[in-house]
């Protein structure tokens, strides 16, 4: 089975060529952060709001062979201007707000990836279907220049091909 964290790592390393600095927004236990930290990326960032999950995330980072940076706080207050890739596994209700934040703060050509949840108002630039038991969908938005292109075409990619 193709696990979601391996899929994110592979997308970040090979499918999103510009990625040098990823951040996991709402990192929980940091499964994706841990997977990304095992790559050749210069550093990996994570942010988590829950005190208990943040503490467990810090412990996981400290025990990792290659630690990752961990912040505690609200992801909507965290600046995204320096990251090349922002990954989130949030609720569908949070996606419109996150897309607006990413488009406003992230540099042109960087990426936002959402695990499982897209946005009806903002079609993704790509959709990748993983080979895990859930057939997880990763929605990828490439950040535009000053203004978002209206109705960007979706490109579906199935990793079974």
């Amino acid at each position: 089975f193709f696990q979601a964290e391996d899929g994110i790592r592979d997308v970040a390393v090979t499918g999103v060529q510009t990625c040098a600095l990823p951040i996991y927004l709402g990192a929980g236990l940091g499964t994706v952060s841990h997977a990304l930290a095992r790559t050749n990326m210069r550093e990996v960032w994570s942010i988590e709001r829950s005190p208990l999950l943040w503490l467990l995330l810090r412990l996981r980072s400290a025990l990792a062979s290659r630690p990752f940076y961990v912040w505690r706080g609200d992801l909507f207050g965290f600046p995204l201007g320096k990251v090349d890739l922002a990954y989130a596994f949030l609720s569908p209700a949070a996606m419109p707000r996150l897309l607006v934040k990413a488009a406003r703060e992230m540099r042109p050509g960087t990426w936002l990836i959402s695990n499982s949840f897209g946005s009806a108002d903002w079609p993704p630039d790509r959709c990748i279907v993983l080979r895990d038991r859930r057939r997880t969908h990763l929605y990828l938005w490439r950040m535009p220049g000053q203004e978002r292109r209206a109705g960007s075409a979706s490109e579906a990619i199935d990793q079974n091909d």
Side-chain angles (χ1 to χ4, degrees), residues 91-105:
S91 74
M95 288 311 301
R97 185 174 172 204
L98 181 57
L99 282 160
V100 168
K101 174 182 176 57
R104 186 179 64 243
E105 296 179 14

Side-chain angles (χ1 to χ4, degrees), residues 16-133:
V16 180
Q17 301 297 330
T18 61
C19 185
L21 179 58
I23 186 168
Y24 186 178
L25 303 169
L29 294 174
T31 306
V32 172
S33 299
H34 189 256
L36 289 173
R38 293 189 311 245
T39 69
N40 61 356
M41 293 179 188
R42 61 186 161 116
E43 54 190 53
V44 176
W45 294 359
S46 302
I47 184 165
E48 176 56 49
R49 184 178 201 162
S50 163
L52 178 58
L53 290 176
W54 171 80
L55 185 59
L56 294 171
L57 183 62
R58 296 265 313 179
L59 180 61
R60 184 172 196 173
S61 175
L63 295 175
S65 59
R66 186 164 176 236
F68 45 90
Y69 294 91
V70 178
W71 283 271
R72 181 168 176 268
D74 179 7
L75 65 93
F76 290 104
F78 193 90
L80 299 177
K82 292 184 180 181
V83 301
D84 298 308
L85 181 148
Y87 168 80
F89 189 2
L90 305 174
S91 74
M95 288 311 301
R97 185 174 172 204
L98 181 57
L99 282 160
V100 168
K101 174 182 176 57
R104 186 179 64 243
E105 296 179 14
M106 294 178 75
R107 296 180 319 280
T110 57
W111 293 87
L112 171 64
I113 299 178
S114 172
N115 184 324
S116 302
F117 305 111
S119 170
D121 297 331
W122 197 329
D125 294 295
R126 293 172 63 191
C127 179
I128 298 174
V129 181
L130 301 181
R131 285 185 257 166
D132 61 358
R133 63 176 166 48

Side-chain angles (χ1 to χ4, degrees), residues 114-156:
S114 172
N115 184 324
S116 302
F117 305 111
S119 170
D121 297 331
W122 197 329
D125 294 295
R126 293 172 63 191
C127 179
I128 298 174
V129 181
L130 301 181
R131 285 185 257 166
D132 61 358
R133 63 176 166 48
R134 292 188 320 114
R135 304 245 339 128
T136 301
H137 287 68
L138 300 179
Y139 298 94
L140 291 80
W141 291 270
R142 187 174 188 115
M143 294 300 110
Q146 294 297 337
E147 294 184 22
R148 171 70 184 170
R149 296 180 314 265
S152 101
S154 294
E155 174 189 346

